[in-house]
Amino acid sequence: MRKVLISMVFASIVIFIAVFYDLITMKNLLLFTTVLFLILMLYYTLLTIAGLYYRTKEHKSISLEKYPSVDILIPAHNEGVVLKETLDAMVKLHYPGELNIYVLNDNSKDDTSEIAGEYDEIYHRVHHILVPPGEPKGKSRVLNYGLQISHGEYFCVYDADNQPEEEALVQLVEMAHSYTNAAGAVGYVRTLNERKNFLTRMISIEFQVFQLLMQAGRWHLFRTGSLTGTNMLVKRKVIQELGGYDPYAIAEDAELTLRITQQGFFLPIVPQSVTWEQEPETIQVYIKQRTRWLQGNLYIVEKTLTVPGYFKGKMMVHSIHQLMVYVVFWFFLVLSYVWFVLGVFDLLYISYTIPLMFIWYVSYIIYTTQLMSAQAAENSFTPRNIFTSFIMYFTYAQLFSYLFVRSLVFYIKAKKKQQVIGWDKTTRFK
Amino acid sequence: MVRRSISIAFVLWVFSFLFLYNSLNSVTDPVWILIFLVPPILFLVMSEKTTFLLFIAFTVISSLIILGMAFVLKWNSYTQLEWVMLHALVLVNLWSVYVLAKWSSSLSRDNKQLQNRVIELEEYIADTKLLSKREFEKQKEIIVTSMDRKKEKGFLLYIGIEKLPRRVKQTSFVKVSNVIYESVRKHFDIVGKYDDQVIVCLLQNTDEDGLAIVKNRIISRLKIIYTPEAFDKLQWNTEGIGYIDFPASKEGPQI
């Protein structure tokens, strides 16, 4: 990570010197950033349209002669608040083959054991597993333990606050089986508590956009999908070949996606396989959760830049995306803030005519169009959602800069002290 | 809720149209402004998917074209702001129409679904003592099973009004239904709707003589209501049920 930062600072200094000595004119620099920004916008517009097409087209139903055995892994650390509803949904799952549901109890201190134990006693399919204590703490280690004690042909991960729909699993399996080179399949995550407040509503819309652009659009255009951490099915053989989860990865799903893609496998997207998930209801919980996610993504950026082989074949789509969002986009975002502040205090004045105001307007329009498209695909248009979409750019989207800086500072601090970044559990709500 | 949303969208659409008319009136022929009345028609006529894709394409392409113009013509901030406002106004206009069309069509779709659901759940047909098709089939199944077990026989009697003139069909359906209902054993036999033009009656634990008695009772009452010409247009059919199978259609009345 330090290398990345040093490179960025070095690049900034080089650019500054080049501009100062007229090697690069300010106008050309502006034009270059504008073109780069426009390419990003066009790319996301393309993904939106492809995603819309994929989401709205009819998907043929597939039926298998024999359904493979599947293990559901549910990492659970103090999940008493939500576990009953989760297990209720799990036992309702319709699956014609052998199915085992493992609640991986990671040293819970609340009533998780009691609830999981009760379901274990009643249902054949449910197994309450006590995960031995160990380091590093986190979901990856728990999942690796789950993989050790289970034997199914496939495994499917659900977070402990998830309520999959009855057909969710069977649809994942059918899709994974219909592609020879598929490592598994990825379903759709919807927000259970969308109507709770503006924050949950915004998260829900953001998730819908993610499913539409990153998942449906990218799958349709590039035949590549990303694991979502929950409602995701993977072949046991594939993860065994990859050596299991990376226990140091905080965004274990994104990290595993890269390794799966690197091996030449792909992950089909199944929009009709739906799970309902609880999202943070307070800003504090949200910041904590997103800081963890961003730190996980910084870890992947570091791997992308330091481990060879991350820019080959389909891996390039994922790697470029990581770099674009977490390096290039953020660099220009910070640059624009600095520029704005210097302009306000009259410290920097640029007289070149570039329609910056209209560029800003176009980016707002494209961003809002993506939010609306996601709602059109999901049929979730309501006056409140439309209003939320219009204000999201000025509110929710702006949180990204703060979260990124926060995550970056924590990440660098941890690296400096050679500490392992801890895995924070997201607080659940009743 | 939806009604309020539609009202908001409608007000937005009217206001944005008036603003557009006012803004563009001085620079272009008013006939061109009427082009903004075309999208509502398109949104209502075309499929939801096509409409939305076109809409998205228009939003993105139009904003990029204007951005290109801004680059080429080197617009100053004021000109850019003017175009931003104009483009935003056009989008508000289109969005409100799109939302109006979408909500209206979803309302009508929901309404149709609900109507079908109500029909499915209704026990009796409105204005008559007739059981709904679903309820009739449900009760018929129980009665026939019980008849089989008790070794009883019975009949299904179908009366069709298909050949009656279109205008009198609605009243005739009610009249014939009521006559049949009045002519059978109320706590024993059941009367139901077979389809929009046929009424069916299940007579349990009876033979041909019993069937003839009921039939004659119905005929005499119908003859009081209908002229001989109209009465001749009524169609009759019977089907044996229960312990002994009678040679008749199993798929419905051969009226």
Side-chain angles (χ1 to χ4, degrees):
Chain A
M1 198 65 214
R2 188 187 272 179
K3 279 183 196 166
V4 178
L5 276 173
I6 292 169
S7 312
M8 283 175 80
V9 171
F10 182 70
S12 307
I13 293 167
V14 168
I15 291 170
F16 180 77
I17 293 169
V19 170
F20 192 80
Y21 286 104
D22 269 351
L23 298 171
I24 307 171
T25 62
M26 196 65 189
K27 189 179 183 180
N28 285 342
L29 190 66
L30 266 175
L31 269 174
F32 172 74
T33 50
T34 307
V35 168
L36 204 67
F37 191 63
L38 286 175
I39 290 171
L40 256 180
M41 284 203 296
L42 283 174
Y43 171 67
Y44 283 113
T45 307
L46 194 67
L47 283 187
T48 309
I49 293 170
L52 262 178
Y53 175 76
Y54 183 71
R55 292 302 308 276
T56 48
K57 84 169 183 183
E58 271 187 33
H59 297 275
K60 282 182 203 161
S61 63
I62 312 149
S63 189
L64 307 179
E65 267 182 39
K66 189 178 179 295
Y67 282 78
S69 56
V70 178
D71 298 320
I72 288 183
L73 306 180
I74 308 171
H77 175 69
N78 295 339
E79 300 286 4
V81 178
V82 287
L83 194 61
K84 186 203 168 298
E85 283 74 18
T86 303
L87 290 178
D88 282 343
M90 293 297 160
V91 294
K92 277 187 204 161
L93 278 174
H94 161 241
Y95 188 68
E98 189 192 334
L99 174 66
N100 285 295
I101 300 158
Y102 296 95
V103 181
L104 304 168
N105 186 349
D106 183 18
N107 301 287
S108 298
K109 301 283 181 278
D110 64 352
D111 54 350
T112 298
S113 299
E114 197 186 316
I115 299 167
E118 218 167 275
Y119 278 79
D120 181 322
E121 278 173 23
I122 303 294
Y123 294 104
H124 274 305
R125 281 178 166 179
V126 181
H127 311 284
H128 176 212
I129 306 293
L130 290 168
V131 179
E135 291 291 336
K137 285 190 167 45
K139 190 173 168 183
S140 301
R141 185 186 67 89
V142 175
L143 286 173
N144 278 338
Y145 185 77
L147 287 168
Q148 276 175 35
I149 52 103
S150 58
H151 311 282
E153 200 176 321
Y154 283 88
F155 74 95
C156 183
V157 179
Y158 281 106
D159 283 341
D161 61 340
N162 269 232
Q163 294 173 31
E165 290 181 358
E166 284 178 29
E167 300 295 321
L169 179 67
V170 81
Q171 280 163 335
L172 288 179
V173 174
E174 285 166 352
M175 189 68 158
H177 242 62
S178 59
Y179 289 94
T180 42
N181 222 19
V186 185
Y188 186 14
V189 185
R190 293 208 64 176
T191 305
L192 191 64
N193 50 345
E194 182 193 285
R195 293 183 179 188
K196 186 75 186 175
N197 54 39
F198 264 114
L199 178 65
T200 55
R201 203 174 279 277
M202 286 176 178
I203 296 172
S204 170
I205 296 173
E206 183 203 12
F207 269 40
Q208 290 171 36
V209 172
F210 172 79
Q211 309 285 343
L212 185 81
L213 304 180
M214 295 304 109
Q215 296 290 60
R218 215 161 55 178
W219 168 248
H220 186 67
L221 287 178
F222 308 115
R223 281 285 176 265
T224 177
S226 310
L227 295 172
T228 45
T230 187
N231 201 20
M232 45 166 264
L233 182 87
V234 179
K235 265 182 196 158
R236 181 176 294 271
K237 206 173 72 183
V238 171
I239 196 130
Q240 277 170 348
E241 277 174 26
L242 294 171
Y245 279 94
D246 174 353
Y248 295 97
I250 311 169
E252 80 296 332
D253 43 357
E255 195 278 335
L256 186 61
T257 301
L258 292 180
R259 282 191 290 144
I260 284 175
T261 316
Q262 203 174 23
Q263 292 294 313
F265 294 110
F266 53 79
L267 295 155
I269 302 302
V270 196
Q272 56 282 24
S273 163
V274 177
T275 187
W276 294 84
E277 182 178 80
Q278 195 186 68
E279 301 305 339
E281 291 179 5
T282 63
I283 195 79
Q284 292 85 351
V285 176
Y286 171 81
I287 287 173
K288 213 172 155 189
Q289 183 199 53
R290 293 303 165 106
T291 303
R292 175 164 58 85
W293 289 8
L294 279 169
Q295 283 176 314
N297 278 300
L298 287 172
Y299 175 79
I300 293 165
V301 168
E302 190 184 348
K303 265 186 130 176
T304 307
L305 292 171
T306 51
V307 179
Y310 272 70
F311 287 91
K312 283 179 189 164
K314 281 185 181 170
M315 271 291 282
M316 204 157 66
V317 178
H318 290 281
S319 302
I320 287 179
H321 171 76
Q322 287 283 341
L323 293 181
M324 279 289 200
V325 175
Y326 300 105
V327 181
V328 178
F329 176 72
W330 185 76
F331 179 72
F332 285 118
L333 194 68
V334 171
L335 196 72
S336 72
Y337 285 147
V338 173
W339 196 336
F340 178 75
V341 172
L342 290 175
V344 165
F345 292 104
D346 222 7
L347 296 169
L348 179 73
Y349 177 73
I350 297 161
S351 61
Y352 298 114
T353 315
I354 283 184
L356 290 175
M357 186 190 285
F358 211 87
I359 292 172
W360 173 84
Y361 172 71
V362 172
S363 33
Y364 173 71
I365 289 293
I366 289 178
Y367 177 79
T368 312
T369 301
Q370 285 167 0
L371 304 183
M372 296 294 190
S373 303
Q375 287 168 62
E378 289 312 314
N379 225 355
S380 58
F381 271 128
T382 62
R384 217 175 268 254
N385 278 356
I386 292 174
F387 172 72
T388 310
S389 307
F390 280 116
I391 61 165
M392 264 178 84
Y393 180 88
F394 304 102
T395 51
Y396 189 81
Q398 301 308 321
L399 273 173
F400 178 77
S401 313
Y402 166 70
L403 287 169
F404 193 89
V405 173
R406 189 173 192 263
S407 316
L408 193 64
V409 170
F410 286 175
Y411 192 83
I412 293 168
K413 265 188 187 173
K415 281 272 157 185
K416 212 174 163 185
K417 291 180 184 169
Q418 293 186 324
Q419 282 175 339
V420 174
I421 298 167
W423 191 70
D424 278 327
K425 196 192 95 71
T426 306
T427 309
R428 311 288 188 208
F429 300 86
K430 192 71 188 170
Chain B
M1 177 70 176
V2 175
R3 204 178 148 192
R4 200 183 64 193
S5 316
I6 289 180
S7 311
I8 296 169
F10 183 71
V11 169
L12 265 178
W13 178 66
V14 170
F15 273 103
S16 57
F17 181 76
L18 291 176
F19 267 115
L20 275 171
Y21 192 88
N22 191 43
S23 323
L24 297 175
N25 201 15
S26 53
V27 287
T28 184
D29 195 313
V31 179
W32 283 106
I33 305 168
L34 293 178
I35 211 160
F36 287 104
L37 295 174
V38 176
I41 301 163
L42 285 180
F43 286 167
L44 284 170
V45 173
M46 291 162 87
S47 80
E48 229 174 272
K49 187 178 163 184
T50 319
T51 313
F52 195 77
L53 279 172
L54 278 177
F55 186 31
I56 292 293
F58 170 80
T59 306
V60 174
I61 293 169
S62 63
S63 56
L64 289 177
I65 287 175
I66 301 174
L67 179 63
M69 283 163 63
F71 265 106
V72 173
L73 300 172
K74 296 181 178 171
W75 283 347
N76 59 26
S77 299
Y78 182 74
T79 317
Q80 285 178 57
L81 192 64
E82 268 188 340
W83 278 90
V84 165
M85 283 162 73
L86 184 68
H87 191 257
L89 208 56
V90 170
L91 289 188
V92 168
N93 184 271
L94 291 178
W95 265 114
S96 48
V97 172
Y98 172 76
V99 165
L100 261 180
K102 191 176 166 68
W103 278 337
S104 311
S105 60
S106 79
L107 257 187
S108 110
R109 205 171 39 236
D110 290 351
N111 192 31
K112 206 173 172 185
Q113 274 175 357
L114 277 176
Q115 267 180 353
N116 289 337
R117 188 86 186 116
V118 168
I119 288 167
E120 204 182 297
L121 291 172
E122 261 177 353
E123 203 174 332
Y124 291 100
I125 303 297
D127 302 328
T128 69
K129 300 274 170 41
L130 230 56
L131 292 172
S132 65
K133 186 172 171 67
R134 181 175 173 270
E135 187 61 27
F136 183 84
E137 291 295 330
K138 212 165 82 184
Q139 292 195 20
K140 181 185 134 190
E141 205 177 311
I142 299 167
I143 293 171
V144 171
T145 313
S146 153
M147 282 165 67
D148 274 339
R149 205 173 53 238
K150 289 192 269 183
K151 297 188 174 176
E152 290 173 359
K153 63 179 180 179
F155 293 91
L156 284 174
L157 172 63
Y158 298 93
I159 302 176
I161 56 165
E162 205 177 354
K163 289 186 178 168
L164 291 179
R166 185 174 53 84
R167 285 193 182 83
V168 301
K169 272 183 183 165
Q170 200 184 346
T171 49
S172 289
F173 193 86
V174 177
K175 289 276 177 201
V176 176
S177 308
N178 288 340
V179 164
I180 300 174
Y181 184 75
E182 294 302 325
S183 310
V184 298
R185 299 163 294 179
K186 288 190 184 51
H187 301 294
F188 212 54
D189 303 326
I190 56 169
V191 187
K193 178 182 173 177
Y194 183 78
D195 62 29
D196 286 343
Q197 315 216 34
V198 180
I199 300 135
V200 58
C201 152
L202 186 150
L203 305 170
Q204 63 169 311
N205 193 18
T206 192
D207 55 12
E208 284 79 359
D209 294 339
L211 171 70
I213 292 167
V214 174
K215 213 171 165 183
N216 286 335
R217 212 182 286 153
I218 294 170
I219 288 170
S220 61
R221 283 175 180 162
L222 285 177
K223 278 186 173 169
I224 298 170
I225 298 167
Y226 289 107
T227 62
E229 294 78 21
F231 180 80
D232 288 343
K233 285 181 179 165
L234 294 174
Q235 296 155 289
W236 302 77
N237 196 26
T238 54
E239 182 187 336
I241 52 168
Y243 183 58
I244 299 163
D245 277 335
F246 289 80
S249 162
K250 284 189 178 174
E251 287 174 7
Q254 294 183 337
I255 292 171

